[in-house]
Amino acid sequence: MALVALYRSAPLRQRIAKGYSVFVPDPGRRAADLVDALLADPPLLPSGPAGQPYVVRGGSRARGALWIDSGRVSLHDPAARARAAGTLAVSVARVAADVRRRGGLLLPAGRQQQPDPAAGLCADLHSAEVLNPVQREVFTNLLREHTASLIALTGRQLYGPAGVAPGGSARLSRSFDQVSTRYLDSCAPEHLERVRTRLRQEERVGRLEVMDISPLGLPEVDAGGDVTVRLFDAQVTVAGTLAHALLVQALSMWSRDMERTGRRVRQVPQSLVEQNRARAVAHGLAAELLVEQGRRTEEPPRTRSAGHTVRALLTELMPFLRQLEATTDELAPLFLGVEMAGAAAASGFVRNENDLLAHWHRYDRTSLDPERLAQGLTAPDWLTADHLGAANRSLAPGSWAAARVWLTDRVTGPASQPQPQSQPPHEAERDRKPESRREPGRPAALSADKLLDRLADPDIPAPEIVEALRSYCRTGGALDLTRPLRSRGRDEARTLRRVLRQRAGQRVRCEKPPASWEDATATRALRAAGEHGVALMHWDLPAQDRARVREALRRMGRAPDGVRTVLLTDTHYTAREDEKRGTVEVLLVAPSEEADR
């Protein structure tokens, strides 16, 4: 047997319970009765890769819902995930056919035209394997910290002939048996008992499994001992559910990496978790989430769009998604719609399956008819198709193609630097720099979002702004702040640009695209960057010439003396007499005297 891969924080097995609701057209029959009859005589489902058959389960809380349970499956590479998705899709199709044979329809949860729409509201349950109590604690707390982002990304609303109701999660907004997760100082039995006591005092329930993240799993789906995530509303397609499974797997690997290196998850105040959870439940990706403020202040609380926090989370998870060998096609349902939208405000782009149903209804009023949706659930190919990508491609083919190129570059990641062949392996390991690959005392490279977070501090001094920009320039690749700034909302983006725009002596106004770095305006900007650390080149010109500026900068290549260029602004506006004008701003960031090139 050959060793084909080696991981420090390897993926572990995961259990997926895929939820759907049952709709009975005959008003004289109840969906719960049909569910009971099917569970008493379930259809034969295919077996998973390990040989265990997929099974159908019911739930005591949602009597009109069914779950197709995969059992523990491995999702460590694209081939394994494709097998799991294919088997789950075939299982869903067989259950849908059996429900139809009994006089009902298997539908995505949330159909409005039912006696009790809430009876069929259900979650997709993801239960991840953990190896020890510390992993259980860190994984639970990490999921807790990102509760609002996960709800905003995966929430689904009621739908019907009139379209899709606005908002985030219809299920969580109506739930009386699910509460926000409490921080775990430990998973020792005595501490878990204290958490149960707190739940009894605050929520009048004493069971850990009522929390959004159950640290001991859910016995009803045979997931005792795992960590079960109850945040995700049941998705329409298997493709959506597998994308979320990949997200859970990456979060699990992140938590194990933290445990391996002796780190713990910070304790976000419970009140902040609950307020942001409520905002995400109510508004989904349109929510404005509160930002934790380290010190007391009289200023109004700062907020950040849910779209921004989702993008920041996905960026943090990218190293683990690369370890999982995730492909562009697998990640597209998670990344592309959110990236194309740029912000949480309504944009027309399809970011999740809530948007997908609204998009279908906008272009075809009969698309949400029960018969049509039920027919889709009987076709495995339809269940595993990327409907979000198809919708965005039809809306904006160019933007969709550009976003796929962007995502492919992110998935590929920076090329690793090979070690000199003359250096023996043991010496290479001994002399290897820390994982951040920086000299002692040298600041770590900053992502765009972390840079903007740092610059959001109103008291940040000018020298720290320069150092933060230098740290951002060490990330490599294209240095472009336009997309991250758009995700911050208009007011915050305006404030951040004001911080980044330099004083008058460091600004160089340019009349036309430069031909080379030896042009007079480029030379003045380089001189200002060398003297002050940062300079700004500013163009205000006809809107159609913006592309000429960008092309000129690409053609000029790297600036001399290690100076890096950062695109700050690329936009258009309407001037007097309806003239279309454009603004392009580029920061020139000079290296420190130590020349970190």
Side-chain angles (χ1 to χ4, degrees):
M1 181 179 295
L3 177 66
V4 296
L6 181 63
Y7 301 93
R8 281 187 171 182
S9 302
L12 298 177
R13 293 175 298 173
Q14 189 170 325
R15 178 185 294 270
I16 303 168
K18 178 79 191 77
Y20 285 104
S21 70
V22 172
F23 171 63
V24 180
D26 182 357
R29 298 180 60 196
R30 297 191 313 152
D33 295 334
L34 191 152
V35 169
D36 290 341
L38 186 145
L39 293 175
D41 182 21
L44 182 63
L45 301 184
S47 296
Q52 82 280 11
Y54 282 36
V55 298
V56 187
R57 299 186 185 277
S60 58
R61 300 181 183 90
R63 297 295 308 281
L66 288 171
W67 284 266
I68 294 90
D69 187 350
S70 68
R72 277 184 171 177
V73 293
S74 177
L75 304 175
H76 64 283
D77 63 19
R81 293 189 289 272
R83 287 193 298 270
T87 308
L88 184 56
V90 170
S91 300
V92 171
R94 290 188 185 179
V95 172
D98 194 270
V99 170
R100 182 180 288 273
R101 181 178 62 82
R102 298 173 187 270
L105 297 174
L106 191 71
L107 293 177
R111 175 72 186 173
Q112 284 180 321
Q113 304 300 101
Q114 300 187 68
D116 181 11
L121 292 174
C122 58
D124 281 342
L125 301 173
H126 296 266
S127 301
E129 186 177 20
V130 291
L131 299 181
N132 59 54
V134 178
Q135 286 183 12
R136 188 183 307 280
E137 167 215 321
V138 176
F139 186 33
T140 301
N141 289 335
L142 186 63
L143 288 162
R144 172 185 177 271
E145 180 175 342
H146 296 288
T147 290
S149 298
L150 296 173
I151 291 174
L153 179 64
T154 64
R156 287 196 49 243
Q157 266 292 344
L158 299 178
Y159 66 93
V164 180
S169 172
R171 174 181 66 92
L172 291 176
S173 67
R174 292 163 170 78
S175 175
F176 296 100
D177 60 355
Q178 185 167 333
V179 301
S180 59
T181 309
R182 270 48 180 182
Y183 186 82
L184 302 183
D185 291 311
S186 163
C187 278
E190 56 270 21
H191 176 72
L192 293 180
E193 189 54 44
R194 285 195 289 271
V195 176
R196 292 188 182 95
T197 301
R198 282 185 58 198
L199 287 172
R200 279 192 289 268
Q201 293 170 345
E202 298 169 0
E203 307 287 354
R204 298 184 182 275
V205 291
R207 295 176 291 114
L208 297 177
E209 57 265 29
V210 302
M211 297 195 299
D212 291 331
I213 300 104
S214 173
L216 299 180
L218 289 181
E220 62 196 57
V221 291
D222 198 22
D226 294 341
V227 174
T228 298
V229 186
R230 305 174 66 207
L231 294 169
F232 302 152
D233 285 347
Q235 300 300 293
V236 177
T237 65
V238 169
T241 299
L242 260 292
H244 297 163
L246 194 59
L247 189 62
V248 171
Q249 194 63 232
L251 283 160
S252 173
M253 292 172 68
W254 186 7
S255 70
R256 289 200 301 282
D257 190 66
M258 295 181 71
E259 182 251 350
R260 179 180 60 83
T261 55
R263 291 174 291 157
R264 291 293 188 272
V265 179
R266 66 196 181 103
Q267 185 170 357
V268 179
Q270 187 66 27
S271 59
L272 185 64
V273 171
E274 294 185 353
Q275 288 180 71
N276 282 338
R277 179 185 188 272
R279 290 176 178 227
V281 168
H283 304 292
L285 284 167
E288 289 292 324
L289 304 181
L290 296 170
V291 176
E292 184 178 4
Q293 295 178 280
R295 58 182 184 272
R296 292 179 179 272
T297 176
E298 298 300 322
E299 298 178 1
R302 289 171 47 214
T303 62
R304 186 167 299 160
S305 71
H308 165 73
T309 62
V310 167
R311 290 174 65 229
L313 172 60
L314 295 176
T315 299
E316 290 277 8
L317 292 176
M318 185 55 75
F320 305 102
L321 294 169
R322 291 193 193 109
Q323 288 184 43
L324 286 161
E325 302 174 31
T327 66
T328 301
D329 288 339
E330 289 181 302
L331 295 179
L334 293 173
F335 280 84
L336 290 195
V338 175
E339 183 64 27
M340 290 171 72
S347 63
F349 290 118
V350 176
R351 301 161 296 178
N352 57 16
E353 289 196 351
N354 217 33
D355 288 350
L356 178 64
L357 293 184
H359 170 82
W360 284 346
H361 184 265
R362 189 179 305 119
Y363 290 93
D364 181 355
R365 297 293 180 181
T366 67
S367 60
L368 304 186
D369 181 78
E371 280 289 344
R372 288 188 62 178
L373 289 174
Q375 188 63 37
L377 299 191
T378 62
D381 288 346
W382 187 91
L383 286 163
T384 54
D386 179 13
H387 296 288
L388 276 72
N392 284 322
R393 185 178 186 180
S394 69
L395 288 169
S399 297
W400 175 82
R404 279 188 65 89
V405 171
W406 167 84
L407 179 58
T408 301
D409 289 343
R410 297 293 304 276
V411 171
T412 304
S416 58
Q417 298 296 323
Q419 293 177 348
Q421 294 297 318
S422 59
Q423 190 177 24
H426 67 278
E427 291 184 15
E429 178 65 23
R430 182 194 65 199
D431 296 336
R432 185 174 61 86
K433 301 259 192 329
E435 288 190 9
S436 58
R437 297 188 179 277
R438 65 180 189 270
E439 300 294 339
R442 180 182 178 186
L446 292 177
S447 67
D449 286 322
K450 288 184 177 179
L451 167 69
L452 298 180
D453 286 343
R454 183 169 296 184
L455 298 179
D457 183 352
D459 300 322
I460 184 170
E464 288 191 21
I465 296 175
V466 176
E467 288 307 315
L469 282 167
R470 286 171 174 159
S471 297
Y472 169 59
C473 290
R474 281 195 286 271
T475 59
L479 301 173
D480 185 348
L481 292 176
T482 56
R483 283 179 182 268
L485 281 166
R486 280 201 301 270
S487 73
R488 297 281 173 144
R490 181 174 300 176
D491 292 339
E492 185 178 1
R494 185 184 295 117
T495 301
L496 289 167
R497 284 195 180 93
R498 194 177 298 124
V499 170
L500 287 165
R501 289 183 179 117
Q502 305 305 306
R503 291 173 295 180
Q506 297 168 249
R507 299 179 194 166
V508 177
R509 185 172 295 275
C510 308
E511 300 295 334
K512 60 183 181 178
S516 73
W517 288 111
E518 296 178 357
D519 274 13
T521 53
T523 301
R524 280 170 41 215
L526 288 169
R527 187 184 307 116
E531 293 174 359
H532 303 284
V534 184
L536 178 78
M537 298 179 73
H538 175 97
W539 287 267
D540 187 320
L541 66 183
Q544 64 270 21
D545 290 342
R546 288 163 51 207
R548 291 179 54 214
V549 174
R550 297 194 303 269
E551 179 57 33
L553 291 169
R554 279 195 294 268
R555 191 171 56 248
M556 289 160 59
R558 283 281 185 103
D561 300 323
V563 174
R564 301 300 303 275
T565 59
V566 180
L567 184 62
L568 176 63
T569 306
D570 183 7
T571 188
H572 61 85
Y573 66 95
T574 302
R576 294 178 181 177
E577 299 180 357
D578 293 332
E579 181 189 5
K580 301 297 182 183
R581 303 286 295 176
T583 301
V584 179
E585 293 179 313
V586 174
L587 291 166
L588 302 187
V589 183
S592 62
E593 292 182 1
E594 289 76 14
D596 43 47
R597 301 171 189 168

